Structures are given as C-alpha cells and as structure tokens.
Amino acid sequence: MSEAEVPLEHYVSTPLPTLRWGTPAYAVFAAPAVRAPRQPLLIDAPDRWWAVGITRPRLLMYALVSAAPFSDAPPGGPVTVSPSGRPLSAVREDQRLFDALMDRALPSFLAGSPGDPTVRGDLAATLALVLPRECRDWSLALTPDFYAWLEQ
C-alpha cells in the first residue's frame, strides 16, 4: 500500500484475521483522522479497507467503502478517541503481547477450533488495549467471524 491508496493522515486499524472471503486474510480499515497536540484523536467513519492473504501474503482486496462497503450497514462516525494516558513504552508492550498472543491463537482460528480459552481470553483483553474501544464497531463489522471466535 502506498500513500496514493492510504493518505498519511488516516488512522489505520489493527490487522485482524478473517475467513470472510474464502481464504485466510488479515483485514484492515482506514479512516480520515485529525490529530492535534494535546487534543483527543478524531476519527471519521472508515473510507477504505483491504485484506491481505495470511498463507500467501498478497493483496486480496482493496476497496473504497463508497464502492464496496465491508458490511451491510457500517457504523457511522466520527468518533473521538479518549487518550489512554499510558506511556509509549506500555503501548509498545501491549502491541508486542498482542502480536505474541495472535501468533499462538491464529492456527486455532484458521482451523475453526476453539483453541485454548485462556489464550483467547488474553487475546481479547489485549485487543482492547491496542484497538481503541471507539473503533471496535468498525472492526467488528469488518471481521465478525474473528470476534465470534474470540467470544465463544
């Protein structure tokens, strides 16, 4: 993806796995965002999304929401993301832990098995740290199968 497809000022979501398109993929949305010093992050409704293959890392889909919505009724926007107040080192550690848990959980999700409930629970808790809660509805609309697997 280049700046031509995703403007620099856009918020880009955490990639999450899905089987929605018949092949294992990581799905991502991007949305216009306004960042200002000492102000909360303002994110408008997603205007584009894409999916990249997991087993064969290649772009499977890239679409503008206006041309190919990722759900029947994507949640609207804008949303204001409350600052977490957490130091950057803690945010980086959350992302590292999320990545490690995803590595452990992904084979079970892709196989359609529930996997270890402790790992699933830890992954769900860590996802809440790396994806702003204000963006959860968009993420859920994009990867409903992953959220259903997490919550089983």
Side-chain angles (χ1 to χ4, degrees):
M1 305 298 290
S2 73
E3 189 176 308
E5 287 87 17
V6 182
L8 186 60
E9 63 274 3
H10 271 47
Y11 167 84
V12 177
S13 71
T14 300
L16 294 178
T18 185
L19 300 169
R20 282 183 65 184
W21 295 285
T23 187
Y26 285 112
V28 178
F29 67 81
V34 176
R35 295 169 178 86
R38 296 174 295 288
Q39 297 295 318
L41 175 63
L42 182 65
I43 303 174
D44 207 342
D47 65 354
R48 61 199 72 217
W49 64 277
W50 60 93
V52 175
I54 292 175
T55 53
R56 247 180 94 200
R58 61 184 173 85
L59 185 64
L60 301 172
M61 174 69 143
Y62 173 85
L64 296 177
V65 171
S66 61
F70 55 80
S71 73
D72 291 337
V79 299
T80 301
V81 177
S82 303
S84 71
R86 304 182 75 224
L88 185 56
S89 60
V91 172
R92 286 185 177 145
E93 179 58 21
D94 294 342
Q95 187 64 55
R96 187 205 61 75
L97 180 58
F98 176 79
D99 292 344
L101 288 165
M102 184 61 79
D103 287 345
R104 289 182 58 197
L106 188 61
S108 295
F109 170 74
L110 296 178
S113 75
D116 183 335
T118 302
V119 171
R120 253 190 1 260
D122 290 347
L123 183 60
T126 307
L127 176 58
L129 297 173
V130 300
L131 178 75
R133 69 174 154 59
E134 297 86 353
C135 298
R136 184 183 186 279
D137 288 346
W138 295 326
S139 182
L140 175 60
L142 183 60
T143 58
D145 56 333
F146 178 66
Y147 278 90
W149 178 81
L150 270 183
E151 295 167 2
Q152 63 181 322

